[in-house]
Amino acid sequence: MIDLKYVEKNFDEAAARLKKKGVDTQTLEKLKTLFGQLKEANAALEAAQAEQNSMSKLFGQYKREGKDIGELKAKVDANKERIAQLQEKAREAEAVLYEVALAIPNFPDDSVPEGEDEEDNVELRKVLEPRVFDFEPLEHWALAEKNGWIDFERGVKLAKSRFSVLRGDAARLERALINFFLDTNREKGFEELCVPFMNNAQMLQGTGQLPKFEEDLFKIEDEDLYLIPTAEVPLTNMYNDEILSEEKLPVLMTGYTPCFRKEAGSAGRDTRGIIRQHQFDKVEMVAIAHPDKSDEVFEMMVQNASDILTALGLPHRVVELCGGDLGFSAARTIDLEVWLPGQNKYREISSISNTRDFQARRAKIRFKDGKKNRLVHTLNGSALAVGRTLIAIMENYQNEDGSIEIPEVLKKYM
RNA sequence: AGACAGGUGGCCGAGUGGUCGAAGGCGCACGACUGGAACUCGUGUAGGGUUAAUAGCCCUCGAGGGUUCGAAUCCCUUCCUGUCUGCCA
């Protein structure tokens, strides 16, 4: 959630910053008004409560002294009714305010380039030269078919469309990749965690998936539980409603989880192959950082993900997202796009974001800064999306006969 | 899933209707003592909102509701934890 006091005090600046993300001034105006109304309602309520408290104290005193309490009782009763009304008002004001506030995306950093969509993203650098093929490279689904690696039909039979089954060496390669990623992250100082794949609503609100993006989540029937769309949710919320000591920062975590997404709104996109599935594996990095240090941590995470791709010999490019392409919670995001010779283009394989204090405010993650409690910065990034890495290996390491080489660094895992 | 017992500050733990956001202890921080340390002594130490304020005021003793002038304390609902039984990897 964005800082309401900041919006109140620096309205024009806040409006200008959010414009980059496509939020109109009207919405922000509404937010400011509602915030003012809530404060007013609370002030009135608190005044009445203060009065009630002091009258209640008098009440006890009168009784002890044997004074007549008739008149006081009448006053107290009247005030009680008033409090109930004021409380109702304040509650209403709060509900309305939060409905709006929770749906407003994070401020982008000033350094984020202007732009509408991914067309306006800025390429920062390319790493590794794409291989030159002396034959026509195939797309991953064609290679999968040749090698018997992916059983699309049975995935659909077991579940429904956008599910699949990896078979034989593909399944082994998937597992090898997970291990390779986790080991690499661990060597960089990330603690390895194995977390629940279902989280409750409060956690999903903490990281920003709820309440606005419920339609993209799988919900467990009759339970306050959702299948996680990314390990960012459990890892970041490890410290939900906690106060960390400053020396603990940054907290670096990594974990492998499957990710579950309904992909509502992407019907017809990437239907061939396993680029876009309802369930996919991902190894995630999450950092909880001191606000002054989150930029450093961010750079480290981008470098780490890029290094993993380099170690696998996969050509990729580093792209800074423009304001319009930035996710809901992110203040800044860098995507890594891997080269897919079969598709003849770069495709997203990792997305690293600094959410500043946006998630921290929602999830109440703070640290002790001297005497005061301050919000931390939270960061997350894939290192890496496993299924898409598998695709990248298939396409980049294919031979003319359709067979696929195993990258050197993975051999000890197979 | 059933039965019973519980959920209080970073931790342990007292508190069964007002003087309690809360005794005492541990831990932690600062200070005194010391050559330095341990010990000892003193002081401080929950979160959130409002506010210029670390002043005042309000809210919070798992959560929600109720009784009452007044609830950590009484009642209801719910969630969670522990133990036993059942089931299972």
Side-chain angles (χ1 to χ4, degrees):
Chain A
M1 200 168 73
I2 57 173
D3 184 351
L4 299 178
K5 277 198 246 180
Y6 167 78
V7 173
E8 187 184 45
K9 287 183 182 153
N10 309 279
F11 187 81
D12 293 339
E13 186 184 292
R17 287 173 69 195
L18 273 181
K19 206 171 172 187
K20 220 191 243 179
K21 244 180 169 176
V23 176
D24 58 44
T25 309
Q26 234 177 345
T27 309
L28 213 58
E29 194 78 65
K30 190 173 168 195
L31 182 76
K32 191 184 163 186
T33 307
L34 292 172
F35 185 47
Q37 281 169 359
L38 174 64
K39 288 212 290 195
E40 247 172 67
N42 275 335
L45 173 64
E46 283 172 21
Q49 282 170 329
E51 203 181 325
Q52 192 77 348
N53 288 343
S54 63
M55 281 198 286
S56 279
K57 271 186 193 150
L58 261 187
F59 202 97
Q61 196 186 317
Y62 278 23
K63 261 202 152 164
R64 252 176 282 130
E65 294 171 356
K67 284 190 188 169
D68 176 45
I69 53 171
E71 199 184 326
L72 185 61
K73 171 108 165 73
K75 263 187 168 172
V76 142
D77 282 343
N79 195 45
K80 199 178 172 185
E81 216 163 290
R82 216 173 117 241
I83 286 178
Q85 284 169 12
L86 290 170
Q87 202 150 39
E88 193 48 48
K89 259 192 198 170
R91 230 175 256 183
E92 178 70 25
E94 191 175 65
V96 177
L97 171 67
Y98 278 97
E99 197 186 318
V100 175
L102 288 173
I104 293 178
N106 195 9
F107 293 109
D109 282 1
D110 291 339
S111 63
V112 167
E114 297 275 354
E116 292 274 306
D117 51 35
E118 62 181 302
E119 297 297 310
D120 300 316
N121 292 344
V122 177
E123 179 184 302
L124 299 180
R125 58 183 176 273
K126 282 198 171 88
V127 182
L128 300 183
E129 277 293 306
R131 165 184 163 198
V132 179
F133 288 84
D134 50 14
F135 58 92
E136 191 64 30
L138 297 174
E139 291 205 47
H140 78 278
W141 48 264
L143 291 161
E145 205 160 296
K146 280 198 167 187
N147 290 279
W149 274 17
I150 307 177
D151 193 332
F152 295 102
E153 293 79 11
R154 290 194 176 82
V156 174
K157 178 172 81 176
L158 290 170
K160 64 176 214 169
S161 64
R162 287 202 193 278
F163 285 91
S164 56
V165 177
L166 297 180
R167 306 191 72 147
D169 283 346
R172 291 180 65 212
L173 193 51
E174 180 93 353
R175 180 157 56 88
L177 284 169
I178 292 167
N179 287 333
F180 171 57
F181 294 162
L182 285 172
D183 282 348
T184 308
N185 294 345
R186 203 159 37 78
E187 280 159 21
K188 290 277 164 64
F190 290 83
E191 181 195 1
E192 183 176 336
L193 282 78
C194 193
V195 294
F197 301 160
M198 298 178 205
N199 283 192
N200 61 46
Q202 196 187 325
M203 300 306 123
L204 283 138
Q205 181 171 309
T207 31
Q209 285 77 17
L210 287 178
K212 207 179 174 186
F213 304 103
E214 175 147 28
E215 70 281 358
D216 206 35
L217 298 171
F218 286 101
K219 185 173 192 316
I220 307 298
E221 199 174 2
D222 298 327
E223 296 277 356
D224 177 32
L225 289 171
Y226 296 81
L227 290 176
I228 54 170
T230 159
E232 169 196 339
V233 178
L235 291 180
T236 307
N237 282 297
M238 278 289 291
Y239 295 97
N240 187 299
D241 199 20
E242 291 194 29
I243 300 168
L244 298 154
S245 61
E246 191 173 348
E247 312 86 72
K248 268 197 161 170
L249 303 179
V251 177
L252 304 176
M253 294 170 278
T254 188
Y256 150 73
T257 72
C259 303
F260 303 91
R261 300 183 184 178
K262 282 202 172 172
E263 294 295 348
S266 48
R269 274 166 61 195
D270 302 311
T271 46
R272 195 107 201 226
I274 58 165
I275 285 261
R276 195 174 299 276
Q277 299 269 285
H278 286 309
Q279 176 188 325
F280 62 95
D281 289 325
K282 181 156 62 67
V283 172
E284 185 79 358
M285 311 174 273
V286 162
I288 294 177
H290 189 289
D292 300 341
K293 299 279 173 62
S294 69
D295 289 317
E296 273 173 45
V297 175
F298 182 77
E299 294 304 329
M300 179 274 282
M301 287 166 73
V302 171
Q303 194 58 49
N304 182 45
S306 175
D307 286 348
I308 292 176
L309 284 171
T310 304
L312 286 166
L314 293 172
H316 57 284
R317 59 177 196 157
V318 182
V319 174
E320 172 101 42
L321 297 201
C322 72
D325 202 27
L326 224 45
F328 180 74
S329 297
R332 184 186 177 198
T333 297
I334 282 182
D335 274 5
L336 300 186
E337 295 180 349
V338 71
W339 175 249
L340 297 184
Q343 288 201 2
N344 197 36
K345 58 178 150 185
Y346 285 97
R347 292 296 304 250
E348 177 187 337
I349 195 167
S350 172
S351 190
I352 297 124
S353 299
N354 188 346
T355 79
R356 306 272 170 207
D357 61 11
F358 186 82
Q359 291 179 327
R361 185 171 294 105
R362 287 173 164 247
K364 303 187 185 75
I365 309 172
R366 295 144 293 169
F367 74 100
K368 273 249 177 285
D369 188 13
K371 278 226 154 200
K372 284 205 167 168
N373 296 326
R374 280 176 70 192
L375 294 171
V376 297
H377 281 190
T378 64
L379 304 95
N380 62 78
S382 13
L384 297 163
V386 183
R388 290 197 180 175
T389 309
L390 184 67
I391 291 171
I393 289 171
M394 289 165 79
E395 293 199 11
N396 282 280
Y397 282 84
Q398 62 181 295
N399 299 318
E400 191 160 12
D401 63 0
S403 62
I404 294 154
E405 302 290 329
I406 301 299
E408 203 53 42
V409 289
L410 290 181
K411 283 189 175 152
K412 66 173 174 176
Y413 290 97
M414 295 285 286

